[in-house]
Amino acid sequence: MILLLVLLLMPSIGNNIQAQIPGKHSEQYKNAVNLYSKGMYQAAEKKFEQLLENTELSKSAELSMIESYLTLISIELSSPDIDFRVQKIKSKYPESPKMNEINLKYGSHYFNLSNFSEAYKIFSTINPRTLPASQKAEFHFKFGYANLRIGNNPDALSNFAIINRLPFGSYSNPATYYSAHIEYMKRDFKKAIELFSKIEKDPRFTLLAKYYILESKFMLKDYAFVVQNGEVLYQQLTGELRTKSARVVSESFFALGNTEKAQFYFDRYSAESGTLTRKDIYYAGIIAYTQKRYDQAIEILKQVIGEDDSLSQNASYHLGRCYIEIKNKVEALNSFRLASEGMHDLTIKEDALFNFAKLSFDLNSDIGVFRRYLDTYSPTEQKFNEIQNYIATSYLLKQDYRSAIDILRTIRNPSSKDIINLQKATFLRGMQLVNLGAYREAIPVFELSTANGNYNNNLLNVTQFWLAEAYYRDNRFQRSVDINLALATRNSTFKGNREYSTSLYNLAYSYFKLANFEQAEAWFKRYLNLPTGEILYADEAVTRLGDCLFMQRKYTESITAFSGVSNSKPALKQYASYQMAIAHGLLGDDTRKTSLLKELVSLNLSPHLYPEVLYELGRTLVQKGLYSDATTYFNELKDKFGTTPFYPKALLELGLIALNRGESNNAADFYKKILQETPQSPEASAAIAGLENIYQDQGRAEEFLAFLDGLGLSKVRTTDERELIIFSSAEKHFLSGNYAQAVSSLNSFIKSYPTGTKAAQAYFYLGESYQKTGKPELALDAFLKVMEIGEGSFTELATLNYARISYQIENYRQANKAYSTLSRIAQLENNKVEAQIGKTNSFYMDKQYENAIAEGIRSESFNITDQERTRVKFVIAKSYWMLGERSKAIPYLNDLAKNKINPEGAESTYLLISDAFDKGEFQKVERDVYSFSESRTPQSYWLAKSFILLGDSFAERENWDQAEATYKSILESYKPQGKDDIEEQLKMRLNKLSEKK
């Protein structure tokens, strides 16, 4: 606001004071007063000084008047001793009739010098009631203006208001002007407009009044008035007001959406103002942003950022918007982050944090910022759920069902759609765990799915089917029975599912595992009575039915069942034929038994069944007295299967045959072989007894005892020795590769000797056997027992296996703990290296990226292979990427991308293309994708992902046809190497494109 000192525009006021004429010197005195009144101060001063020289007059009462005039003259002439003279007259003649006039002139003196604080002090001593009418307007104007200049606006308004109540005079319009000014500064723009309008016709104030009326209308957001009147006024104004009016008119046009006019007047403002302020630059950037000149807006708004103020915060926010428009999400994220850190505009701060959170998730899958947003602003339930659904949908598209579940479970008062999504996500996560062999971990996930199964009954049934399977695989057979029984007998809708028939089979198998052979028989029969097309496991079911009948001693029926096994599965057919032979033997038909066993021997039997068939055939021939034939099979068993538990059995049988033939020395040799080679076998006791009888019959008892002493077998068996004998038998099954039998034997041993000296080794073998039979979680239990015992050389290997399996079934936190333990206890260098690499990978897969980087950097100091070094570099790069620190990730990625053949190099190439896409560099995306394609990489998944980005880059540029052609081309040509998300991603995009057409 330009303050106008209107006294310069008006005639001097206050010198026409009528003189009071004293006594006989009245003519001389009157003449002096007349000269003073005419402004002839020096002549008046001379006359008054002459009067003072008159002794008579100097003693009169009129002396105070003369000296008062002389003081007034000194003020008018700006004498250097004004202050002294005023103070002197005040102290000498405080009651002088001219004191108010002196104070008025004295105050005006400082007023004219713009010393308004001093003027204010002097004017404050004047009692306006005592002033003559001719001086009242001058006093109230000057006193009001002094109040205005020292910031005392209420008193200023009061004085100006008094003037407006007086008869109209030269101070009336100036008083109105300054009253309007004060109302304007108070932001009472309506009152300001009212007052400015009163003086609009006064030529002194016309342009000023019109300008401030215009600016007040602008402040009242009456933009239509501003644009209707402002363009004409702009042409009339000059100087600073012209420049300022250009800015006001520009902003009004902008507010009304006419950005061209806004730009025109801002250009006038810029040209006339010379130097632009940060606010001006910010406004220029906003105009460019509104006109969609985003690149120009970015360059302008960048100039505003730097100070910690609302301008920087707003500029950062709009920079983020600009970057979004030019598809540069990376810079948009950084801009919104800056805006979200400001504390000046809380509305901007909230929206910036929301956008920062969204971009952090889109670019880095980081939900931490979303969590901060939700914790800080506690949005409505609807917005909270929208955010959670947005995150969950992204996870679902990426097939990251574990993360999707965590998010979906946080939704408040979930709708039916939310519940269905949670049901699907939990089912799909459960299936991921099943495919990994992590059935135990799948159980609570499937249970959560069933708990949310009120809206999709078909999926509920399928989930229960797999829940029962998971319980079965975790050896909780009764829970499996309960679920499958309910599906089979109490769920009519389930009969239409393709899983129905398999549920009957599973139910029967669970009963079989529980040794409830009667129920197992009934359900296997029910399964086999289904229509042929629904029976997926016919031979398996027939085999187990035969076992059920066999275990119930229904041997004839079991033979019938076993005979129904087809030749399409040789292993099952061989097992069934063997069981048929045993059943015939139990029915007393050794001839048929022998025939079947000889048929089996002629086949290419599995290494687990072959020694058992040979042994059983030899035993049967011995029972029939065919020792020579039996010897042939026992010798074959002895020569081919020396590492199996059947080896000492064959030796024992050969010894007995030799005895029956009277060949006691040969028999002794067989018994000695048992004691020398398998002293811990169950057959060792029988061999000792047989050898003792032979030596006693020959009168060689001392030689027998010496032989036993030499082997350390003469003493009575201790408990530890008996433990060792039983363990040795179980160990042979493991070492021979018969892992199913090893599991049974080792569990039996552990049950008998849970704290024995061989317990740790038994648990280790059990863990290995479970691994080999596809039961990783049971293997974990066994290896954990070894780790808890913590004795012997098996602890290190068990810890290594425990870590590996945990990682395999995606329990990364558990894997990390195991690898950390391994790094502390490992004695073998290669295990130390694997522990370090394992920690790095586990932290990375568990999304603990800071720790992954730290461990990765530490791993680089180890003696690792080139392949391991590549993996470590990738983990470091991807962790930086996921933390949003792309500038640190990209050097690693560039290095890795030099080799596009390996998975890490291919994914690094994809990430670099993704970075270009996120920055809106679509031409670079196109070049790099085609270059990737020409590299002949075998990593088809990452190449397909890159081509999807190429299609996305066409879509971002609204080249819909090219985008569609790209997506369809990938869909037709891509051959997945396993289940992945490519097809789902493509179909989702094609569906969106079809909606646009």
Side-chain angles (χ1 to χ4, degrees), residues 545-566:
L545 175 59
D547 286 335
C548 292
L549 294 166
F550 185 93
M551 295 303 294
Q552 294 177 82
R553 301 183 180 182
K554 299 177 182 180
Y555 301 122
T556 302
E557 292 179 58
S558 73
I559 290 169
T560 302
F562 286 130
S563 65
V565 178
S566 71

mmCIF file of all heavy atoms in Angstrom, residues 545-566:
data_model
loop_
_atom_site.group_PDB
_atom_site.id
_atom_site.type_symbol
_atom_site.label_atom_id
_atom_site.label_comp_id
_atom_site.label_asym_id
_atom_site.label_seq_id
_atom_site.Cartn_x
_atom_site.Cartn_y
_atom_site.Cartn_z
ATOM 1 N N LEU A 545 -5.798 -101.717 -0.954
ATOM 2 C CA LEU A 545 -6.930 -102.578 -0.585
ATOM 3 C C LEU A 545 -6.418 -103.982 -0.278
ATOM 4 O O LEU A 545 -6.828 -104.611 0.707
ATOM 5 C CB LEU A 545 -7.957 -102.618 -1.718
ATOM 6 C CG LEU A 545 -9.146 -103.578 -1.510
ATOM 7 C CD1 LEU A 545 -9.929 -103.212 -0.244
ATOM 8 C CD2 LEU A 545 -10.061 -103.555 -2.738
ATOM 9 N N GLY A 546 -5.508 -104.464 -1.146
ATOM 10 C CA GLY A 546 -4.908 -105.778 -0.888
ATOM 11 C C GLY A 546 -4.194 -105.796 0.452
ATOM 12 O O GLY A 546 -4.288 -106.771 1.214
ATOM 13 N N ASP A 547 -3.476 -104.711 0.784
ATOM 14 C CA ASP A 547 -2.788 -104.633 2.084
ATOM 15 C C ASP A 547 -3.773 -104.676 3.240
ATOM 16 O O ASP A 547 -3.531 -105.329 4.270
ATOM 17 C CB ASP A 547 -1.968 -103.344 2.151
ATOM 18 C CG ASP A 547 -0.708 -103.409 1.290
ATOM 19 O OD1 ASP A 547 -0.226 -104.515 1.041
ATOM 20 O OD2 ASP A 547 -0.220 -102.333 0.880
ATOM 21 N N CYS A 548 -4.898 -103.930 3.079
ATOM 22 C CA CYS A 548 -5.916 -103.920 4.148
ATOM 23 C C CYS A 548 -6.456 -105.335 4.390
ATOM 24 O O CYS A 548 -6.601 -105.780 5.545
ATOM 25 C CB CYS A 548 -7.065 -102.992 3.772
ATOM 26 S SG CYS A 548 -6.625 -101.246 3.745
ATOM 27 N N LEU A 549 -6.764 -106.018 3.334
ATOM 28 C CA LEU A 549 -7.282 -107.388 3.453
ATOM 29 C C LEU A 549 -6.217 -108.303 4.045
ATOM 30 O O LEU A 549 -6.519 -109.176 4.885
ATOM 31 C CB LEU A 549 -7.723 -107.880 2.067
ATOM 32 C CG LEU A 549 -8.920 -107.122 1.467
ATOM 33 C CD1 LEU A 549 -9.063 -107.441 -0.021
ATOM 34 C CD2 LEU A 549 -10.214 -107.483 2.208
ATOM 35 N N PHE A 550 -4.995 -108.143 3.597
ATOM 36 C CA PHE A 550 -3.884 -108.944 4.106
ATOM 37 C C PHE A 550 -3.735 -108.750 5.615
ATOM 38 O O PHE A 550 -3.577 -109.718 6.369
ATOM 39 C CB PHE A 550 -2.602 -108.547 3.382
ATOM 40 C CG PHE A 550 -1.410 -109.379 3.746
ATOM 41 C CD1 PHE A 550 -1.076 -110.511 2.996
ATOM 42 C CD2 PHE A 550 -0.594 -109.050 4.829
ATOM 43 C CE1 PHE A 550 0.033 -111.282 3.330
ATOM 44 C CE2 PHE A 550 0.496 -109.814 5.174
ATOM 45 C CZ PHE A 550 0.824 -110.940 4.422
ATOM 46 N N MET A 551 -3.775 -107.464 6.066
ATOM 47 C CA MET A 551 -3.600 -107.181 7.492
ATOM 48 C C MET A 551 -4.751 -107.705 8.327
ATOM 49 O O MET A 551 -4.602 -107.934 9.529
ATOM 50 C CB MET A 551 -3.437 -105.670 7.691
ATOM 51 C CG MET A 551 -2.178 -105.085 7.053
ATOM 52 S SD MET A 551 -0.647 -105.851 7.606
ATOM 53 C CE MET A 551 -0.616 -105.383 9.329
ATOM 54 N N GLN A 552 -5.912 -107.913 7.684
ATOM 55 C CA GLN A 552 -7.063 -108.511 8.382
ATOM 56 C C GLN A 552 -7.089 -110.036 8.204
ATOM 57 O O GLN A 552 -8.063 -110.688 8.573
ATOM 58 C CB GLN A 552 -8.366 -107.908 7.835
ATOM 59 C CG GLN A 552 -8.533 -106.423 8.129
ATOM 60 C CD GLN A 552 -9.791 -105.860 7.514
ATOM 61 O OE1 GLN A 552 -10.878 -106.012 8.103
ATOM 62 N NE2 GLN A 552 -9.673 -105.240 6.351
ATOM 63 N N ARG A 553 -6.005 -110.574 7.650
ATOM 64 C CA ARG A 553 -5.844 -112.005 7.413
ATOM 65 C C ARG A 553 -6.858 -112.567 6.435
ATOM 66 O O ARG A 553 -7.191 -113.754 6.457
ATOM 67 C CB ARG A 553 -5.872 -112.783 8.726
ATOM 68 C CG ARG A 553 -4.779 -112.350 9.694
ATOM 69 C CD ARG A 553 -4.766 -113.162 10.947
ATOM 70 N NE ARG A 553 -3.717 -112.717 11.838
ATOM 71 C CZ ARG A 553 -3.434 -113.273 13.027
ATOM 72 N NH1 ARG A 553 -4.174 -114.305 13.451
ATOM 73 N NH2 ARG A 553 -2.461 -112.806 13.773
ATOM 74 N N LYS A 554 -7.369 -111.687 5.586
ATOM 75 C CA LYS A 554 -8.257 -112.136 4.509
ATOM 76 C C LYS A 554 -7.376 -112.398 3.282
ATOM 77 O O LYS A 554 -7.399 -111.663 2.290
ATOM 78 C CB LYS A 554 -9.298 -111.053 4.205
ATOM 79 C CG LYS A 554 -10.202 -110.721 5.387
ATOM 80 C CD LYS A 554 -11.177 -109.580 5.026
ATOM 81 C CE LYS A 554 -12.058 -109.188 6.191
ATOM 82 N NZ LYS A 554 -12.993 -108.075 5.834
ATOM 83 N N TYR A 555 -6.591 -113.501 3.400
ATOM 84 C CA TYR A 555 -5.537 -113.709 2.415
ATOM 85 C C TYR A 555 -6.081 -114.012 1.034
ATOM 86 O O TYR A 555 -5.542 -113.544 0.018
ATOM 87 C CB TYR A 555 -4.611 -114.837 2.891
ATOM 88 C CG TYR A 555 -3.969 -114.538 4.231
ATOM 89 C CD1 TYR A 555 -4.130 -115.391 5.324
ATOM 90 C CD2 TYR A 555 -3.209 -113.386 4.408
ATOM 91 C CE1 TYR A 555 -3.554 -115.118 6.549
ATOM 92 C CE2 TYR A 555 -2.631 -113.095 5.641
ATOM 93 C CZ TYR A 555 -2.816 -113.960 6.699
ATOM 94 O OH TYR A 555 -2.250 -113.680 7.916
ATOM 95 N N THR A 556 -7.127 -114.794 0.967
ATOM 96 C CA THR A 556 -7.692 -115.128 -0.350
ATOM 97 C C THR A 556 -8.196 -113.868 -1.048
ATOM 98 O O THR A 556 -7.944 -113.649 -2.239
ATOM 99 C CB THR A 556 -8.835 -116.139 -0.198
ATOM 100 O OG1 THR A 556 -8.337 -117.305 0.457
ATOM 101 C CG2 THR A 556 -9.410 -116.523 -1.565
ATOM 102 N N GLU A 557 -8.900 -113.005 -0.284
ATOM 103 C CA GLU A 557 -9.413 -111.753 -0.859
ATOM 104 C C GLU A 557 -8.262 -110.810 -1.232
ATOM 105 O O GLU A 557 -8.321 -110.102 -2.245
ATOM 106 C CB GLU A 557 -10.340 -111.058 0.132
ATOM 107 C CG GLU A 557 -11.659 -111.799 0.387
ATOM 108 C CD GLU A 557 -12.526 -111.063 1.390
ATOM 109 O OE1 GLU A 557 -12.857 -109.892 1.135
ATOM 110 O OE2 GLU A 557 -12.843 -111.662 2.447
ATOM 111 N N SER A 558 -7.218 -110.844 -0.418
ATOM 112 C CA SER A 558 -6.082 -109.961 -0.711
ATOM 113 C C SER A 558 -5.405 -110.401 -2.008
ATOM 114 O O SER A 558 -4.961 -109.563 -2.796
ATOM 115 C CB SER A 558 -5.079 -109.948 0.441
ATOM 116 O OG SER A 558 -4.333 -111.143 0.511
ATOM 117 N N ILE A 559 -5.326 -111.727 -2.229
ATOM 118 C CA ILE A 559 -4.732 -112.224 -3.476
ATOM 119 C C ILE A 559 -5.536 -111.732 -4.669
ATOM 120 O O ILE A 559 -4.984 -111.281 -5.671
ATOM 121 C CB ILE A 559 -4.660 -113.764 -3.457
ATOM 122 C CG1 ILE A 559 -3.612 -114.233 -2.432
ATOM 123 C CG2 ILE A 559 -4.325 -114.306 -4.849
ATOM 124 C CD1 ILE A 559 -3.651 -115.716 -2.151
ATOM 125 N N THR A 560 -6.846 -111.782 -4.526
ATOM 126 C CA THR A 560 -7.711 -111.295 -5.609
ATOM 127 C C THR A 560 -7.465 -109.814 -5.871
ATOM 128 O O THR A 560 -7.378 -109.368 -7.026
ATOM 129 C CB THR A 560 -9.191 -111.508 -5.240
ATOM 130 O OG1 THR A 560 -9.409 -112.904 -4.989
ATOM 131 C CG2 THR A 560 -10.103 -111.037 -6.361
ATOM 132 N N ALA A 561 -7.340 -109.048 -4.792
ATOM 133 C CA ALA A 561 -7.101 -107.610 -4.939
ATOM 134 C C ALA A 561 -5.751 -107.353 -5.589
ATOM 135 O O ALA A 561 -5.640 -106.598 -6.557
ATOM 136 C CB ALA A 561 -7.172 -106.930 -3.577
ATOM 137 N N PHE A 562 -4.707 -107.993 -5.078
ATOM 138 C CA PHE A 562 -3.362 -107.773 -5.624
ATOM 139 C C PHE A 562 -3.283 -108.152 -7.100
ATOM 140 O O PHE A 562 -2.549 -107.530 -7.870
ATOM 141 C CB PHE A 562 -2.316 -108.559 -4.826
ATOM 142 C CG PHE A 562 -2.013 -107.975 -3.469
ATOM 143 C CD1 PHE A 562 -2.025 -108.778 -2.319
ATOM 144 C CD2 PHE A 562 -1.704 -106.628 -3.328
ATOM 145 C CE1 PHE A 562 -1.734 -108.246 -1.076
ATOM 146 C CE2 PHE A 562 -1.407 -106.084 -2.076
ATOM 147 C CZ PHE A 562 -1.436 -106.895 -0.950
ATOM 148 N N SER A 563 -4.035 -109.169 -7.481
ATOM 149 C CA SER A 563 -3.989 -109.606 -8.880
ATOM 150 C C SER A 563 -4.593 -108.566 -9.823
ATOM 151 O O SER A 563 -4.390 -108.634 -11.039
ATOM 152 C CB SER A 563 -4.717 -110.945 -9.047
ATOM 153 O OG SER A 563 -6.111 -110.785 -8.763
ATOM 154 N N GLY A 564 -5.340 -107.611 -9.260
ATOM 155 C CA GLY A 564 -5.974 -106.591 -10.085
ATOM 156 C C GLY A 564 -5.076 -105.420 -10.423
ATOM 157 O O GLY A 564 -5.482 -104.517 -11.163
ATOM 158 N N VAL A 565 -3.841 -105.409 -9.900
ATOM 159 C CA VAL A 565 -2.908 -104.319 -10.200
ATOM 160 C C VAL A 565 -2.400 -104.497 -11.627
ATOM 161 O O VAL A 565 -1.948 -105.574 -12.019
ATOM 162 C CB VAL A 565 -1.733 -104.298 -9.206
ATOM 163 C CG1 VAL A 565 -0.754 -103.181 -9.559
ATOM 164 C CG2 VAL A 565 -2.242 -104.129 -7.790
ATOM 165 N N SER A 566 -2.454 -103.397 -12.399
ATOM 166 C CA SER A 566 -2.069 -103.474 -13.812
ATOM 167 C C SER A 566 -0.555 -103.455 -13.967
ATOM 168 O O SER A 566 0.184 -103.176 -13.004
ATOM 169 C CB SER A 566 -2.676 -102.314 -14.586
ATOM 170 O OG SER A 566 -2.025 -101.106 -14.235
#
